[in-house]
């Protein structure tokens, strides 16, 4: 099984390394110092699940040297979706499945016009991990789960085959016939948690039990749930309870990647997370006062720390 991982950060690095260790032929599409380190020293994954050192690591910045693969795990930042989609066209053959494992809800629909309607599946990655130095990815906690499926809910041979490889790789995996719902369940959680923790600059453990913060989480989750329902998304009746249960069980040091990016002075994915909630709320006539405030407060940091 040939797999290309586009964007070898916390998500792509961790899942790609696990699949490579399980026997898949994995190539990482990367750039800069991270690419150079993977080529010279391999890719090291450390953290709650123990250490994996993938040496040698197949890595390149030129998809043309790889050619068509069976699967592409598409893990770039949300502002790079269209440009990265164009860049990886040499990886995409007539049977290739491209699985966006990104934050937000619109990556599949943004990739469809670039790569075609048959190539794109839906995917959700649930993991807390980030690059801590070139060639090294650190995971927080042990939770590592991938959900994917065809956008129309059909069962497919390519979905079944990847499901089997993921099981062999040893992380939690779900082949979903409701991947749009799963995308929204992650979006409800992340659009809220990323904004709250970026704004407060504290991990989940400092916030989840604070009696003044809990109502802010609840209000923000309820806004995204209302937006999703107005858009026709089928959401479980216990969606809010699921969000609060996730927070209760999360490692106390966990922070979403957007909060980490803000702390590091980097560009943040706010327009596609909290900003998307506000945008859809306006389009659908759903009030989003909590997200509107958080979006406005974080907007100066969208392109990195203001100078």
């Amino acid at each position: 099984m040939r797999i290309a991982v586009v964007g070898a950060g916390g998500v792509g690095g961790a899942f790609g390394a696990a699949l490579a260790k399980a026997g898949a032929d994995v190539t990482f599409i990367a750039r800069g110092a991270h690419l150079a380190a993977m080529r010279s020293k391999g890719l090291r994954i450390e953290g709650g699940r123990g250490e994996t050192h993938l040496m040698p690591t197949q890595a390149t910045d030129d998809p043309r040297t790889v050619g068509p693969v069976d699967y592409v795990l598409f893990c770039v930042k949300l502002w790079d979706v269209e440009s990265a989609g164009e860049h990886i066209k040499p990886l995409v053959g007539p049977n290739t499945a491209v699985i966006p494992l990104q934050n937000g809800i619109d990556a599949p629909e943004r990739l469809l016009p670039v790569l075609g309607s048959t190539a794109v599946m839906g995917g959700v990655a649930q993991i807390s991990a980030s690059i801590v130095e070139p060639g090294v990815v650190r995971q927080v906690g042990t939770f590592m789960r991938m959900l994917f499926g065809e956008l129309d809910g059909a069962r497919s041979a390519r979905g079944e085959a990847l499901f089997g490889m993921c099981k062999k790789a040893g992380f939690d995996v779900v082949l979903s016939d409701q991947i749009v719902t799963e995308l929204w369940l992650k979006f409800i959680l992340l659009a809220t948690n990323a904004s709250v923790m970026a704004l407060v600059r504290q991990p989940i453990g400092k916030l989840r039990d604070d009696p003044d913060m809990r109502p802010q989480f609840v209000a923000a989750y309820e806004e995204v749930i209302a937006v999703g329902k107005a858009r026709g998304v089928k959401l479980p009746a216990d969606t809010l309870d699921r969000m609060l249960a996730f927070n209760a069980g999360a490692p106390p040091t966990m922070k979403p990647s957007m909060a980490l990016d803000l702390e590091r002075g980097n560009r943040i994915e706010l327009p596609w997370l909290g900003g998307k909630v506000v945008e859809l709320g306006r389009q659908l006539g759903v009030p989003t006062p909590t997200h509107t405030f958080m979006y406005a407060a974080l907007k100066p940091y969208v392109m990195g720390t203001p100078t």
Side-chain angles (χ1 to χ4, degrees), residues 226-251:
V227 168
K229 287 180 176 176
R231 213 180 187 214
V233 181
K234 296 175 183 174
L235 294 170
D238 65 345
T239 296
L240 177 61
D241 292 336
R242 292 188 190 198
M243 304 299 115
L244 296 172
F246 177 90
N247 283 357

Side-chain angles (χ1 to χ4, degrees), residues 103-105 124-127 143 181-197 204 217 220-222 224-225 235 239-250 254 256 273-274 277 291 294:
N103 300 327
I105 47 163
V124 174
Q126 295 173 335
I127 186 172
F143 191 62
T181 296
E182 298 291 355
L183 278 163
W184 268 85
L185 287 171
K186 180 177 180 182
F187 181 64
I188 292 162
L189 182 80
L190 193 67
T192 294
N193 284 14
S195 291
V196 171
M197 281 178 254
I204 189 64
F217 279 106
Y221 291 141
E222 287 180 335
V224 197
I225 291 167
L235 294 170
T239 296
L240 177 61
D241 292 336
R242 292 188 190 198
M243 304 299 115
L244 296 172
F246 177 90
N247 283 357
M254 193 193 79
L273 297 175
V277 176
H291 277 281
M294 292 193 292

